[in-house]
Amino acid sequence: MEGIYAIWQRDVIKFFRDKARLVGSFAMPFMFLILFGSGMSGALSSMIGGNAAGPLAAFDFVEFMFPGIIGLTVFNTAIFSALSVVQDKEFGYMREILVSPMSRVTIAIGKVLGGSTVAVIQGLMMLLFVPFIGVSITFLMVLKLIPVMFLVAFAISSIGLLIASSLKTSQGFQMVVQILIFPMLFLSGAMFPLNGMPAWMDVIVKINPLTYSVDMFKKIILQPEQMAPALREAMGLNLSIFDHVITFSQEILVVLAVSVVFVILATIKFSRAEG
Amino acid sequence: MKRNIVEVTGLKKRYKDFEAVKGIDLLVEEGEIFGFLGPNGAGKSTTINMLSTITNPTGGTAKINGYDNVKEKNKVRQSIGLIFQESTLDEKLTANENLMLHCKFYRVPKDKREDRIREVLQIVDLEDKRSNIVETFSGGMKRRLEIARGLLHYPRVLFLDEPTVGLDPQTRNHIWEYILKLKEKAGITIFLTTHYMDEAEICDRVAVIDHGELIALNTPDHLKNDVGGDIIEISTSDNKNAKRKIEEMYQLTVSENSEGKLSFQVNEGSAFLVDFVKKTDIPIQTVNLRRPTLNDVFLHLTGREIREEMVSQRDLMKRSMRGPH
Ligand SMILES: Nc1ncnc2c1ncn2[C@@H]1O[C@H](COP(=O)(O)OP(=O)(O)OP(=O)(O)O)[C@@H](O)[C@H]1O
Ligand SMILES: [Mg+2]
């Protein structure tokens, strides 16, 4: 147990010590908010039909983006946290870990928990944008967000560790993750509402675990149950499979299942690779 | 009689179609400093990696502290300290953080951690650097910190893979002071690899390894006596001719070393020299008579030298190429 704590603690200490990374992590969300928020929100809302009077007038693109920004931050941080595993191999520290009597399972779990924690902290830091963009977030929402973020981050960190255990260089890892994360992000509903997709794309959207993750953040922050049905539809908040609208608890189960599967796969892969 | 803390029989390692270690047998007694001497690529690191459970052997067995290296990995890991050829510190963390993590990895009891950290830092004279970030340390300080860290869990055997490579002579001497201090204070067994002859001389026993095979194992004195007699080195203005003449006159094998000197072994060095200088018409420039070193041992056993200079240059490059995080 203390081994897990030690591995976790190291990642957390290093996260707070790396000031450049801390500041840099605000750059991308900031750009998105400026770009989509003030620059293009007019264009994007008119595309959806939001310039008309009526229920869609309430469509605010920045508001729509915000849960996606949180999601994006959590995914990115979680998956790239596994980069430290590859870097530890490159810079030698992994050997210090591997020659210790800790079990491989301990090390893998510690790494996944470390990555998840860092991702949650980073996700929470995005709430600093709240006062500037006119989203209203209550304390209760934050309390709900934290465990959901953690669950999502855990799933993604596990996927990251699985990739990291199969690769030897940072470049390789970055390339694989880049190729993986872009389609996953674009087809998750984080950047724009997923309405009117071609059928094949819709299939990808539905098997993408990020879709359910982003939708959970939206459900917590945007409170779709209080919206006019037309607006809810326009914002793509009626995520459904085979005409069945998916509930929040079902989404939790989906992400939980993804977490369990991938943490097991990652642990097995890591133990095999580093026997 | 002391017990054997490291027992190795028929240890082999094959990488694809290349056999890096070809069946090694050796026993290391508790409390001794055991040196593993050999040129680049001889299989020193590979052997240490097998002994320390990093890689599985492809043949033979190894036992440390009575535990099997393959079947009882975690017990072996708890019994050993390991200082790798390349640094394995986390340079973004402080010395204290590196040490504290190690205590946790090895389940050093909570109430003992503070004392142990002080103790090991004192052995390597780094008490005042405890809360500094490792990145700011010099190469020698990092090495010392690694040694300190390797001692935290009170290992029975400390493995050091080229502990002083890439360090300046003064720092090398310091590291050796610490290693000797360890042996005296902690009674710990030290198993180290080196390709520096002078370092191998300090060891209680030395195993010479070449192309993955053990070609000699004894105390440095015995090894040198086995070479037989004294070493004479001469430089001449015409080495080729001189070599032929000496070989004819005395039925000896003369070899030319990397500095362009001819060297050969004789039984009674001083008596030989008197006779030699009287008789010969070879245009000698310098003459040197000395006792054999471990380099001569290696030369004697393999017909080659361990080229210290070239080797250390290469290793320096290896180290500097690893760059910052
Ligand atoms: N992972 C590997 N795959 C293939 N060959 C390897 C591997 N590791 C080592 N070797 C080869 O095994 C041989 C022994 O290497 P090893 O690192 O044990 O040498 P060494 O005695 O430690 O040398 P040095 O003084 O350079 O550290 C070398 O020829 C090396 O190329
Ligand atoms: Mg080596």
Side-chain angles (χ1 to χ4, degrees):
Chain A
M1 274 320 277
E2 185 153 35
I4 297 184
Y5 171 67
I7 300 274
W8 172 89
Q9 186 190 30
R10 171 168 173 259
D11 278 357
V12 175
I13 294 177
K14 289 181 78 169
F15 170 75
F16 283 111
R17 198 156 289 170
D18 194 349
K19 297 287 184 298
R21 181 175 154 197
L22 221 57
V23 174
S25 65
F26 282 99
M28 187 147 86
F30 185 71
M31 256 163 30
F32 272 118
L33 284 172
I34 295 282
L35 203 70
F36 290 106
S38 32
M40 286 165 65
S41 68
L44 286 162
S45 330
S46 70
M47 228 160 62
I48 298 162
N51 282 349
L56 294 190
F59 190 102
D60 176 3
F61 205 79
V62 175
E63 206 179 316
F64 167 81
M65 275 295 287
F66 192 64
I69 296 275
I70 291 187
L72 190 126
T73 308
V74 172
F75 308 148
N76 262 327
T77 316
I79 202 146
F80 275 108
S81 69
L83 180 60
S84 72
V85 174
V86 189
Q87 281 175 337
D88 284 346
K89 285 192 232 173
E90 287 177 329
F91 291 108
Y93 195 79
M94 189 52 84
R95 297 224 204 172
E96 155 76 357
I97 297 177
L98 291 174
V99 290
S100 76
M102 281 186 293
S103 79
R104 276 38 188 160
V105 178
T106 301
I107 301 168
I109 302 284
K111 271 289 174 193
V112 171
L113 287 177
S116 316
T117 307
V118 167
V120 171
I121 299 171
Q122 193 99 71
L124 284 175
M125 283 181 355
M126 292 305 120
L127 297 179
L128 292 175
F129 284 116
V130 167
F132 307 103
I133 56 176
V135 197
S136 64
I137 296 226
T138 62
F139 184 64
L140 194 69
M141 286 183 195
V142 178
L143 283 190
K144 269 196 212 162
L145 270 177
I146 294 176
V148 174
M149 278 185 194
F150 191 83
L151 179 62
V152 171
F154 191 89
I156 308 295
S157 295
S158 307
I159 296 177
L161 179 63
L162 181 62
I163 300 171
S165 307
S166 330
L167 295 169
K168 287 214 162 59
T169 65
S170 318
Q171 283 103 322
F173 178 84
Q174 264 156 332
M175 209 177 69
V176 172
V177 165
Q178 221 70 265
I179 289 170
L180 197 73
I181 196 126
F182 268 104
M184 277 176 86
L185 276 175
F186 273 102
L187 297 177
S188 69
M191 335 276 252
F192 45 83
L194 298 169
N195 295 330
M197 295 250 157
W200 66 270
M201 235 188 222
D202 198 55
V203 172
I204 301 179
V205 168
K206 297 293 155 60
I207 57 172
N208 180 2
L210 296 196
T211 307
Y212 305 98
S213 312
V214 170
D215 201 60
M216 286 195 284
F217 295 135
K218 287 182 186 165
K219 282 192 171 123
I220 295 173
I221 295 171
L222 301 177
Q223 297 182 298
E225 65 282 359
Q226 292 170 19
M227 288 179 178
L231 177 61
R232 193 158 64 207
E233 188 62 43
M235 278 196 170
L237 295 175
N238 290 328
L239 188 63
S240 54
I241 293 184
F242 303 124
D243 293 328
H244 162 76
V245 178
I246 297 161
T247 64
F248 188 77
S249 344
Q250 285 165 340
E251 284 170 338
I252 296 260
L253 286 179
V254 169
V255 181
L256 197 63
V258 173
S259 295
V260 171
V261 169
F262 278 99
V263 80
I264 291 173
L265 288 179
T267 307
I268 293 174
K269 180 75 196 162
F270 180 80
S271 309
R272 290 247 171 94
E274 316 295 350
Chain B
M1 215 195 95
K2 285 195 173 165
R3 78 183 182 114
N4 292 319
I5 191 121
V6 178
E7 304 158 86
V8 176
T9 39
L11 200 65
K12 284 184 188 161
K13 181 72 190 184
R14 166 178 287 281
Y15 293 112
K16 296 209 181 82
D17 52 354
F18 175 72
E19 196 153 41
V21 175
K22 297 173 182 154
I24 282 182
D25 300 283
L26 56 86
L27 297 172
V28 179
E29 272 182 14
E30 186 150 37
E32 76 175 328
I33 300 187
F34 190 89
F36 220 45
L37 177 72
N40 278 133
K44 303 184 295 293
S45 296
T46 307
T47 306
I48 283 223
N49 285 347
M50 288 191 284
L51 295 185
S52 56
T53 76
I54 305 269
T55 45
N56 282 334
T58 47
T61 58
K63 276 188 176 179
I64 311 275
N65 199 17
Y67 302 118
D68 187 278
N69 280 49
V70 177
K71 293 184 202 117
E72 296 165 293
K73 280 199 162 116
N74 282 347
K75 289 205 167 121
V76 171
R77 285 170 178 156
Q78 192 74 50
S79 317
I80 61 171
L82 190 51
I83 287 105
F84 291 98
Q85 193 165 353
E86 283 99 17
S87 163
T88 64
L89 293 164
D90 189 330
E91 304 210 347
K92 299 285 179 197
L93 299 179
T94 64
N96 187 57
E97 284 164 344
N98 269 288
L99 298 174
M100 217 29 135
L101 283 174
H102 189 92
C103 287
K104 289 176 185 161
F105 294 166
Y106 285 79
R107 293 203 208 108
V108 175
K110 268 206 178 83
D111 52 331
K112 301 224 169 83
R113 287 175 191 169
E114 182 58 33
D115 288 346
R116 293 234 191 142
I117 288 179
R118 280 219 196 107
E119 181 191 341
V120 296
L121 282 176
Q122 196 210 333
I123 293 179
V124 298
D125 279 331
L126 282 175
E127 294 120 303
D128 52 332
K129 302 284 181 198
R130 187 168 166 177
S131 22
N132 294 21
I133 302 272
V134 175
E135 220 169 16
T136 64
F137 283 23
S138 70
M141 283 157 66
K142 287 181 196 162
R143 212 71 192 139
R144 276 145 61 193
L145 181 59
E146 285 203 276
I147 295 178
R149 187 181 64 179
L151 296 171
L152 271 177
H153 57 286
Y154 288 173
R156 309 296 302 275
V157 189
L158 188 66
F159 288 98
L160 298 139
D161 197 359
E162 316 251 1
T164 61
V165 94
L167 301 177
D168 62 84
Q170 200 193 348
T171 316
R172 275 175 63 188
N173 288 340
H174 274 298
I175 300 274
W176 270 100
E177 277 170 34
Y178 302 128
I179 293 177
L180 293 172
K181 202 152 92 180
L182 271 182
K183 179 189 154 149
E184 262 163 46
K185 274 180 83 172
I188 192 172
T189 310
I190 293 165
F191 188 116
L192 61 91
T193 75
T194 182
H195 49 238
Y196 292 120
M197 298 301 154
D198 50 341
E199 293 190 352
E201 305 263 355
I202 307 172
C203 299
D204 296 319
R205 284 194 307 150
V206 174
V208 184
I209 180 170
D210 189 35
H211 295 309
E213 279 171 304
L214 266 200
I215 50 178
L217 198 173
N218 218 323
T219 62
D221 280 342
H222 266 105
L223 287 174
K224 286 183 282 190
N225 285 340
D226 287 349
V227 172
D230 301 322
I231 304 283
I232 291 175
E233 284 176 334
I234 60 171
S235 60
T236 71
S237 51
D238 183 1
N239 275 351
K240 233 186 182 168
N241 202 16
K243 181 169 157 43
R244 190 180 46 79
K245 275 191 182 159
I246 298 167
E247 281 178 343
E248 263 171 24
M249 269 167 74
Y250 296 99
Q251 269 79 50
L252 287 165
T253 13
V254 178
S255 52
E256 190 170 350
N257 69 16
S258 47
E259 291 144 31
K261 284 186 178 167
L262 296 179
S263 77
F264 49 94
Q265 297 150 21
V266 291
N267 284 335
E268 287 290 326
S270 4
F272 174 88
L273 264 190
V274 173
D275 182 62
F276 176 63
V277 172
K278 252 191 243 162
K279 280 189 195 159
T280 188
D281 58 345
I282 297 170
I284 300 170
Q285 289 164 336
T286 63
V287 178
N288 182 24
L289 165 69
R290 57 175 176 79
R291 295 282 303 145
T293 63
L294 284 174
N295 197 23
D296 302 309
V297 172
F298 193 79
L299 189 69
H300 178 72
L301 290 168
T302 66
R304 290 177 292 119
E305 280 184 83
I306 299 191
R307 298 260 199 85
E308 301 196 19
E309 295 316 312
M310 270 178 62
V311 158
S312 53
Q313 278 306 320
R314 207 191 81 174
D315 278 310
L316 279 174
M317 269 177 57
K318 244 197 232 167
R319 294 209 144 201
S320 64
M321 268 162 54
R322 299 193 336 101
H325 280 217

